[in-house]
Amino acid sequence: MSLAKFLDRDAAIVAPALLGTTLLVDGVGGLIVETEAYHPDDPASHSFRGPTPRNGAMFAGPGHVYVYRSYGIHWCINFVCRNASAVLIRALEPTDGIDLMRARRGLDEVRALCSGPGKLCAALAVTGEFDGLMLEAPPFAIALPRRSAIAAIGPRIGITKAADRPWRFGVKGSRYLSKPFPKA
DNA sequence: GAGGCGATTGGCT
DNA sequence: GCCAATCGCCTCG
């Protein structure tokens, strides 16, 4: 399946299917092991209240990248899906450019390099300048998995609205998650 | 126009 | 476990 077609579905479908995908930015990155889905009718979503200058990329159509600043300090990256839904990339298992990521993060421990949405953006040098770019073109490189990894499912993290929706997905047993999943 | 808060992280208690 | 850092958007007046 082409990347464009893959992303032109609801975020709740795309988010678990993305597990095991390779994400590289300028050749640096790893395997996606944790994601979350956000919907326009979801009070926790940035697209819930319609377009603003900040969230415009979420309304630009499937295949775009939405990068926003979190708590005024960190950057977080989303893949835009159908109908202003989006998938937040929460954690990677580092595979490529590990020494560069170590230098950017000022940290040796591979396990913690990309174990959180703000961390992985720092490790991959993703900033607001990437907001609105197409995922299909450089500096991005995406390799979809042959088969999606087995997903653990749980409530999303760090939000106060609609916190009960089970739209967080992770690779079962991965040591690179931002937080463990509640035991099923 | 002012005040509050968030899809977070790292450091200190 | 708690708390500060720091910026854009929302809400209210």
Side-chain angles (χ1 to χ4, degrees):
Chain A
M1 189 186 307
S2 75
L3 180 62
K5 195 167 177 185
F6 181 88
L7 292 173
D8 188 15
R9 295 179 292 170
D10 192 278
I13 304 294
V14 176
L18 274 173
L19 298 175
T21 297
T22 302
L23 166 64
L24 302 181
V25 177
D26 284 322
V28 175
L31 299 172
I32 296 173
V33 295
E34 186 180 338
T35 59
E36 281 180 1
Y38 287 89
H39 272 216
D41 64 353
D42 165 11
S45 172
H46 288 176
S47 60
F48 179 61
R49 294 172 191 282
T52 68
R54 173 225 214 180
N55 69 14
M58 271 189 94
F59 295 87
H64 286 83
V65 169
Y66 167 49
V67 180
Y68 72 94
R69 206 194 260 293
S70 172
Y71 288 86
I73 305 173
H74 309 289
W75 297 103
C76 298
I77 186 169
N78 295 255
F79 296 173
V80 179
C81 301
R82 178 179 291 180
N83 187 31
S85 68
V87 175
L88 170 70
I89 309 302
R90 286 194 55 89
L92 301 182
E93 174 179 337
T95 58
D96 289 61
I98 288 178
D99 283 337
L100 190 49
M101 290 194 274
R102 280 189 173 124
R104 286 168 175 165
R105 297 267 293 113
L107 186 75
D108 278 346
E109 206 184 338
V110 174
R111 221 179 129 165
L113 286 179
C114 299
S115 58
K119 296 178 184 180
L120 73 91
C121 281
L124 274 57
V126 170
T127 69
E129 313 219 334
F130 292 73
D131 185 47
L133 295 182
M134 293 298 297
L135 196 52
E136 237 166 343
F140 300 106
I142 301 286
L144 296 174
R146 237 171 251 170
R147 238 171 66 179
S148 302
I150 297 176
I153 303 175
R156 294 174 294 180
I157 289 187
I159 61 174
T160 54
K161 303 162 193 162
D164 54 326
R165 301 196 194 187
W167 283 345
R168 177 183 178 226
F169 306 92
V171 173
K172 202 168 184 180
S174 171
R175 304 191 313 273
Y176 301 91
L177 302 173
S178 66
K179 286 185 183 173
F181 278 77
K183 198 190 165 195

